[in-house]
């Protein structure tokens, strides 16, 4: 590491769990983050600050005034601009060590080939159908997936690897869920999104540095302050991850 990097990441390097070896692992990591909204803004901020070497950001949306109460990478002057453009501008100023790849589009099946360019996938999308597609393609590509979701005061985080259950195990028989509300319909508290995103980033960092990551889904209720682990059992008949 360069001298300026040692200084920038000094408070992380001081931690015995990280040290110089862990920081080098972070600097060499390649993470694709899908979604630059309520979850994406805090998650992308912490991933960039932590020194993730390459960070891909995918989102097709533009900044709306209704986003600003929780999506902290954007300002009033950014309304109408593509979120990936604004996010990359802010993150580049935060940490020039990080290579930022922007993908101003919605995640689709056509992005299956893109996954091979990254070590892991992180999902902060606000759409059940997209989350299930990301899960399907990540499992098929044998790429670890860190999936997060938030609504109201509550949310959840789940790590999906080759040794764990996947999102399709959690929602058996659900091919589509157009009836499920997204944040625009159900509402969301910005601070809750920040808590969920923080847990997601912590799990990503642990994985990158070679630590065992919990196989439980973490369910978070910021109204009560409780984090409840929930065991998701692999479905032997799962349409996505069955062996």
């Amino acid at each position: 590491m360069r001298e300026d990097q040692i200084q920038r990441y000094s408070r992380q390097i001081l931690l015995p769990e990280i040290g110089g070896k862990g920081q080098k692992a972070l600097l060499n990591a390649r993470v694709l983050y899908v979604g630059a909204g309520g979850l994406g803004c805090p998650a992308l901020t912490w991933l960039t600050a932590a020194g993730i070497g390459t960070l891909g950001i995918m989102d097709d949306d533009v900044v709306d005034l209704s986003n600003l109460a929780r999506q902290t990478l954007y300002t009033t002057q950014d309304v109408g601009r593509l979120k990936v453009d604004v996010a990359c501008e802010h993150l580049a100023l935060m940490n020039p060590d990080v290579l930022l790849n922007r993908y101003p589009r919605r995640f689709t099946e056509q992005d299956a080939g893109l996954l091979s360019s990254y070590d892991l996938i992180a999902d902060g999308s606000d759409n059940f159908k997209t989350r299930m597609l990301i899960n399907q393609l990540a499992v098929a590509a044998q790429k670890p997936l860190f999936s997060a979701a938030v609504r109201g005061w509550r949310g959840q985080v789940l790590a999906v690897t080759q040794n764990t259950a996947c999102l399709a195990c959690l929602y058996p028989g659900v091919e589509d869920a157009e009836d499920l509300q997204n944040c625009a319909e159900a509402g969301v508290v910005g601070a809750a999104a920040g808590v969920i995103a923080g847990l997601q980033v912590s799990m990503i960092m642990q994985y990158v540095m070679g630590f065992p990551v919990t196989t439980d889904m973490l369910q978070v209720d910021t109204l009560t302050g409780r984090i409840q682990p929930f065991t998701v059992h692999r479905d032997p008949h799962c349409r996505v991850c069955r062996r």
Side-chain angles (χ1 to χ4, degrees):
M1 285 186 291
R2 304 187 310 266
E3 184 62 34
D4 64 302
Q5 291 178 321
I6 294 174
Q7 183 175 357
R8 177 184 289 272
Y9 307 115
S10 60
R11 299 305 186 270
Q12 290 180 175
I13 294 172
L14 284 171
L15 296 173
E17 300 88 353
I18 299 180
K21 182 180 178 180
Q23 188 60 56
K24 288 178 182 177
L26 295 173
L27 288 166
N28 290 327
R30 300 176 60 86
V31 175
L32 174 64
Y33 201 100
V34 182
L39 289 165
C41 282
L44 291 166
T45 298
W46 289 118
L47 289 169
T48 300
I52 293 295
T54 301
L55 188 55
I57 306 172
M58 182 176 292
D59 196 300
D60 69 337
D61 202 5
V62 298
V63 179
D64 185 82
L65 190 62
S66 65
N67 301 149
L68 302 184
R70 66 191 181 280
Q71 298 182 20
T72 52
L73 282 175
Y74 315 124
T75 68
T76 305
Q77 287 71 33
D78 297 320
V79 170
R81 298 185 61 200
L82 281 168
K83 290 182 179 179
V84 290
D85 288 345
V86 180
C88 285
E89 288 177 8
H90 285 272
L91 297 174
L93 292 173
M94 178 183 299
N95 191 348
D97 281 345
V98 179
L99 174 62
L100 298 165
N101 296 328
R102 63 189 75 192
Y103 304 101
R105 60 180 185 266
R106 182 179 292 272
F107 187 91
T108 69
E109 292 183 1
Q110 303 302 314
D111 291 304
L114 179 64
L115 304 191
S116 63
S117 300
Y118 291 90
D119 301 322
L120 62 89
I121 317 304
D123 177 21
S125 60
D126 181 22
N127 179 287
F128 184 84
K129 189 173 183 179
T130 299
R131 289 201 295 271
M132 297 303 285
L133 177 61
I134 295 170
N135 174 78
Q136 176 186 331
L137 296 185
V139 170
Q142 299 186 4
K143 293 292 182 178
L145 167 66
F146 293 82
S147 182
V150 65
R151 186 175 304 156
W153 298 85
R154 301 171 180 85
Q156 63 190 45
V157 184
L158 176 67
V160 177
T161 71
Q162 294 304 299
N163 301 315
T164 71
C166 75
L167 283 179
C169 297
L170 185 61
Y171 300 102
V174 179
E175 297 291 342
D176 196 355
E178 296 294 345
D179 57 323
L180 293 181
Q181 292 178 310
N182 59 28
C183 292
E185 299 163 330
V188 63
V189 176
V195 171
I196 303 301
L199 283 171
Q200 183 187 34
V201 170
S202 179
M203 291 169 67
I204 290 170
M205 292 177 65
Q206 291 170 44
Y207 179 85
V208 167
M209 293 184 292
F211 299 153
V213 177
T214 179
T215 59
D216 291 333
M217 180 173 70
L218 300 181
Q219 298 177 309
V220 183
D221 186 336
T222 61
L223 270 177
T224 62
R226 293 180 179 176
I227 300 177
Q228 181 70 40
F230 175 78
T231 301
V232 182
H233 296 285
R234 171 171 274 180
D235 181 355
H237 306 293
C238 177
R239 64 187 184 278
V240 172
C241 69
R242 64 178 177 271
R243 298 289 184 270

